Amino acid sequence: MGKQRILSGVQPTGNLHLGNYLGAIRNWVENQHQYENYFCVVDLHAITVPHNPATLAADSYTIAALYLACGIDLDCSNIFIQSHISAHSELTWLLNCITPINWLQGMIQFKEKALKQGENVGTGLLDYPVLMAADILLYDADRVPVGEDQKQHIELTRDLVVRMNDQFGDPENPVLKMPEPLIRTDGARIMSLTDGTKKMSKSDPSEMSRINLLDPPDVITKKIKKCKTDPVRGLEFDNPDRPECNNLLTLYMLLSGKDKATVASECADLGWGQFKPLLAETAVEALTPIQTKYKEVMDDKGYLESVLRRGREKAESIAQATLDRVKDAMGFSKPL
């Protein structure tokens, strides 16, 4: 038996932040040698909301470089850009045709984002989970690293596997492989620096709400100095009345590599004036190696292009085989 296959990706909308890193990418890096990995830059997902066409391509390369800077190992992983493989769009259409529309209308993320966009909600936003399902299923992924907020999308993916296999396959010859979610418990949901009840997000209009992986030390220090806290002295985990306290302690725990009990004991009697400089110093120390490696990768454009070319070639061969299998099962004619 070979290694199980992993598929995951991040949108190229702005810079990656600590929520992306601690909730997803660090998990990829820690576990990557157990699996055969395919990590994509999901630029097709990025256009499901208004985007800047002038920066989309550059942002895609930035995210790919950050994957490498964070520690993705090419000996066991492949990095590619989603839109470079047309099978993603084609399988999405095929899956659309067996997806009941009420499944999509009931998605929590669609409802939340549609409220923000008002009357100009694009069909792509509604269809986002089907595209995500296509991403996963094209690569016969065994496991999909996701945050808690993406569990509903994985459930829809699994429902589509059942639907496709029931309609066009048989128990002995399933058309699509059933994936399993791989959810990190610690740090799976990093919250905003300005509101401890909301997830840290690239779409938040306030830069002060997040620490970006490429923020310089003085900016990191400023954001932590000004982040929202409470008037209580002494810091503690898991108090529902102190969401910011729990979030900042979690950040310190994850960035320092200390366990929860150690951090709880260390910080129990600290005031915010003592803790914030400690957190800022720890964050800067944790991000400096990533920033140094990122600069090295971006300074060698030929290397980055070769990584993406190799990743596309490997991913495309698998994706095309899956797409052909689905089209055969659905009864399409072959090109002459």
Side-chain angles (χ1 to χ4, degrees), residues 7-14 16 39-53 55-64 67 79-89 92 124-125 128 131-132 135 139 202 308 312:
L7 183 284
S8 198
V10 173
Q11 291 189 36
T13 47
L16 294 184
F39 298 125
C40 57
V41 180
V42 289
D43 53 345
L44 294 174
H45 285 286
I47 67 169
T48 59
V49 295
H51 77 287
N52 183 356
T55 62
L56 180 61
D59 287 344
S60 297
Y61 278 82
T62 292
I63 300 302
Y67 284 177
I79 299 171
F80 64 98
I81 295 176
Q82 180 190 31
S83 67
H84 293 182
I85 299 176
S86 61
H88 287 261
S89 300
T92 299
L125 186 61
Y128 179 111
L131 176 58
M132 181 173 169
D135 298 338
Y139 299 96
K202 288 184 282 188
L308 291 172
R312 178 187 60 77

Side-chain angles (χ1 to χ4, degrees), residues 33-184:
H33 294 286
Q34 301 175 39
Y35 302 104
E36 175 190 357
N37 306 282
Y38 289 82
F39 298 125
C40 57
V41 180
V42 289
D43 53 345
L44 294 174
H45 285 286
I47 67 169
T48 59
V49 295
H51 77 287
N52 183 356
T55 62
L56 180 61
D59 287 344
S60 297
Y61 278 82
T62 292
I63 300 302
L66 279 169
Y67 284 177
L68 292 166
C70 288
I72 295 300
D73 185 347
L74 298 178
D75 286 339
C76 58
S77 303
N78 300 277
I79 299 171
F80 64 98
I81 295 176
Q82 180 190 31
S83 67
H84 293 182
I85 299 176
S86 61
H88 287 261
S89 300
E90 191 168 353
L91 182 58
T92 299
W93 175 253
L94 300 180
L95 294 177
N96 276 340
C97 294
I98 66 166
T99 304
I101 194 167
N102 63 297
W103 288 9
L104 303 180
Q105 291 170 330
M107 289 285 145
I108 294 170
Q109 283 204 350
F110 169 71
K111 293 178 180 178
E112 292 176 348
K113 292 183 178 181
L115 280 175
K116 294 178 183 178
Q117 289 191 34
E119 295 181 358
N120 295 318
V121 178
T123 304
L125 186 61
L126 178 68
D127 206 33
Y128 179 111
V130 182
L131 176 58
M132 181 173 169
D135 298 338
I136 296 164
L137 299 175
L138 275 173
Y139 299 96
D140 289 332
D142 296 286
R143 309 293 295 275
V144 186
V146 291
E148 289 285 345
D149 59 321
Q150 292 286 338
K151 280 181 69 177
Q152 193 180 32
H153 291 170
I154 299 298
E155 290 165 4
L156 179 132
T157 301
R158 289 168 58 84
D159 288 342
L160 287 175
V161 171
V162 172
R163 198 169 178 87
M164 175 67 75
N165 290 343
D166 282 350
Q167 291 186 23
F168 302 105
D170 61 67
E172 298 299 321
N173 295 288
V175 183
L176 294 172
K177 187 172 188 175
M178 183 67 76
E180 298 286 343
L182 183 63
I183 298 173
R184 185 184 182 92

Side-chain angles (χ1 to χ4, degrees), residues 233-250:
R233 182 177 178 83
L235 309 183
E236 58 184 331
F237 285 102
D238 303 323
N239 185 335
D241 296 325
R242 306 183 68 190
E244 286 79 22
C245 182
N246 184 71
N247 186 47
L248 295 176
L249 280 179
T250 299

